Amino acid sequence: MRQRYEAARRYQNGFLGLTVCPTLNCNFRCLYCYQHHPPGIMSASVEDRILRFIREQEPSVSSLSVTWFGGEPLLAFSVIENLSQKFLDIASGSLRYTSSIITNGYLLTPEISASLADLGVEDVQITLDGPRTSHNLRRPVSGGQETFDRILENIVLADKRLHIVIRINIDHENVLGIMELFDQLDAAGLRGRVRAYFSPVIPYTNLCKDVAEYCIHGQDWSKIEARLLLEAVNRGYGGLSLPVSRSHVCLADSTASWVIRPDGLLCRCWNDVTQPENAIGLLPGKERSRRMKRNLEEWDTWSAFNFPRCLECKVLPQCMGGCPYLGRRQINAGGRGYCTELRYNLPEILATYYLSYKRRMVSEDLLHKLHSYMPKIVPAPECR
């Protein structure tokens, strides 16, 4: 397993993953945000350096995956539009191209959503932090105005080619309001059209340390997550995947993935995009300062196999040491990485997955039968 892990980190079989931040500015002022939001967008010069970076690796790359991140990336839609078209041009041959975006959804108008789909974006993540009242308190625009209703309308009217996932950040302040959020999604006609997943609020940097007292950690969070995922399945917003063995954790512990700031600095993790002192390089990626080399070495030497308690853990194949960013910042880690929820809730997650799977199979079987009896009324179910 260790050999597979080390090989997957260093040799990605032709895969290149880029998280591109066209701007670090944001139109929201979320209470728990860990980022600074300097103005400005990516320059044409940095765009050209990204393209050169890709072309230099192109002979060994067969799959390019791009995630648009920020800040709020849609504040720099012109950069997304320009680079996406060039990525599509590069991928017109044998290179496979996929794209996604992480956005607060406020600027995702029907026109912008259609343009994103035309530009190859397939997956969209949008955050709704609980029901209307809770969300509006936690995620206002920079002027203090409410945002929930406009985001919800944009989701409803978004281009149907986009697969939308709703992220719900959870702490003690909003955990009891999730059923009300599902009611509001139902009222908007979104049941079965979007998926939801849950993430605990984490004070990543000193900018958001004030929210630490409201955060839910460890075993407490794991049990809450299991309950929320079951409720999401019951309400028609679940899309739970079976926990499987992982070759590595995320882009941060892969040498084939890079986070690109608007100024061309390279990072390993999304959480570092507004921390230039944590950069590991500068496009096109060959020149590094002494500090950048030290940062890169710290990322590259992180491994679950360095921790005795990880080696003894039954969920190591699914966890692989957990979040490297948080793991590297632990104090008194006790010989283990940053444990994921699966250490505490694997039985509940497996049971929820099985329930979701059986319901889907029963539903598809019923649709097949109804279609065979009434093909003009009941459309054929989609093949999976």
Side-chain angles (χ1 to χ4, degrees):
M1 184 166 59
R2 181 169 191 162
Q3 291 178 341
R4 184 190 66 179
Y5 173 73
E6 295 296 338
R9 289 182 69 174
R10 285 163 173 75
Y11 307 104
Q12 290 288 316
N13 296 321
F15 174 81
L16 176 61
L18 301 180
T19 298
V20 181
C21 302
T23 182
L24 295 178
N25 198 5
C26 189
N27 52 340
F28 277 27
R29 292 297 180 265
C30 303
L31 299 182
Y32 49 77
C33 187
Y34 60 89
Q35 294 183 340
H36 300 282
H37 296 303
I41 66 173
M42 183 177 287
S43 68
S45 173
V46 175
E47 290 183 31
D48 290 339
R49 284 152 60 192
I50 292 175
L51 297 171
R52 178 151 52 100
F53 178 72
I54 295 172
R55 290 193 175 100
E56 287 177 354
Q57 304 186 59
E58 194 174 356
S60 61
V61 172
S62 57
S63 176
L64 172 63
S65 174
V66 172
T67 298
W68 301 101
F69 189 57
E72 169 48 48
L74 291 180
L75 287 173
F77 181 71
S78 61
V79 177
I80 296 175
E81 194 171 29
N82 189 41
L83 275 176
S84 292
Q85 190 56 62
K86 292 176 180 177
F87 293 156
L88 289 170
D89 292 341
I90 292 174
S92 60
S94 59
L95 183 69
R96 181 175 181 267
Y97 173 65
T98 59
S99 179
S100 61
I101 188 170
I102 297 173
T103 171
N104 58 40
Y106 195 76
L107 301 176
L108 190 71
T109 62
E111 295 76 20
I112 291 294
S113 72
S115 295
L116 288 174
D118 291 339
L119 293 168
V121 174
E122 299 172 355
D123 299 303
V124 180
Q125 177 184 291
I126 298 172
T127 298
L128 288 175
D129 269 1
R132 181 177 287 103
T133 301
S134 174
H135 172 95
N136 285 332
L137 288 172
R138 297 158 65 91
R139 296 178 64 84
V141 295
S142 55
Q145 295 92 338
E146 297 178 347
T147 61
F148 183 91
D149 288 327
R150 177 164 169 173
I151 295 170
L152 190 63
E153 180 181 18
N154 286 343
I155 294 173
V156 171
L157 299 178
D159 193 287
K160 299 302 184 289
R161 291 171 291 175
L162 299 176
H163 305 118
I164 295 179
V165 175
I166 294 175
R167 173 182 171 125
I168 307 170
N169 295 313
I170 300 291
D171 57 24
H172 286 297
E173 294 286 281
N174 70 340
V175 65
L176 298 180
I178 305 306
M179 298 308 105
E180 184 182 353
L181 171 60
F182 287 151
D183 291 340
Q184 291 167 357
L185 295 179
D186 285 350
L190 289 173
R191 179 181 294 191
R193 288 182 52 192
V194 299
R195 293 190 298 110
Y197 84 98
F198 308 92
S199 185
V201 172
I202 297 175
Y204 287 111
T205 68
N206 287 334
L207 280 178
C208 55
K209 63 182 180 180
D210 292 344
V211 304
E213 63 181 295
Y214 305 113
C215 296
I216 309 172
H217 303 283
Q219 197 164 353
D220 291 339
W221 164 247
S222 298
K223 298 305 177 183
I224 290 172
E225 184 205 37
R227 189 185 78 239
L228 291 174
L229 287 172
L230 177 59
E231 291 295 343
V233 168
N234 287 335
R235 294 295 299 266
Y237 297 99
L240 197 61
S241 299
L242 182 68
V244 296
S245 297
R246 307 168 72 172
S247 57
H248 62 99
V249 180
C250 62
L251 62 87
D253 67 340
S254 166
T255 58
S257 298
W258 308 85
V259 180
I260 304 175
R261 287 168 38 107
D263 57 6
L265 282 175
L266 298 171
C267 303
R268 242 323 133 69
C269 178
W270 296 354
N271 295 335
D272 283 334
V273 294
T274 59
Q275 308 290 326
E277 65 275 13
N278 294 333
I280 61 170
L282 177 68
L283 283 173
K286 294 180 179 179
E287 295 185 10
R288 291 187 174 91
S289 67
R290 183 176 300 176
R291 182 165 188 162
M292 289 174 179
K293 291 177 181 177
R294 184 172 68 248
N295 291 339
L296 181 60
E297 182 180 6
E298 289 179 5
W299 282 111
D300 286 347
T301 55
W302 161 268
S303 170
F305 298 94
N306 295 333
F307 303 107
R309 293 181 66 181
C310 287
L311 296 177
E312 299 169 357
C313 183
K314 63 183 179 181
V315 298
L316 174 61
Q318 290 78 35
C319 169
M320 299 309 291
C323 173
Y325 179 90
L326 293 172
R328 292 171 57 221
R329 285 158 174 75
Q330 287 185 115
I331 300 175
N332 300 322
R336 68 187 184 197
Y338 191 83
C339 297
T340 67
E341 296 84 356
L342 289 175
R343 182 185 178 199
Y344 307 108
N345 66 14
L346 181 59
E348 292 94 333
I349 295 300
L350 291 174
T352 300
Y353 171 81
Y354 181 73
L355 173 63
S356 175
Y357 172 80
K358 293 299 289 185
R359 284 180 174 173
R360 188 170 70 248
M361 292 300 101
V362 170
S363 176
E364 289 182 357
D365 182 60
L366 177 59
L367 285 174
H368 276 293
K369 291 179 179 178
L370 290 175
H371 175 69
S372 65
Y373 294 137
M374 299 176 288
K376 294 183 179 180
I377 299 176
V378 179
E382 295 182 5
C383 297
R384 295 182 182 272

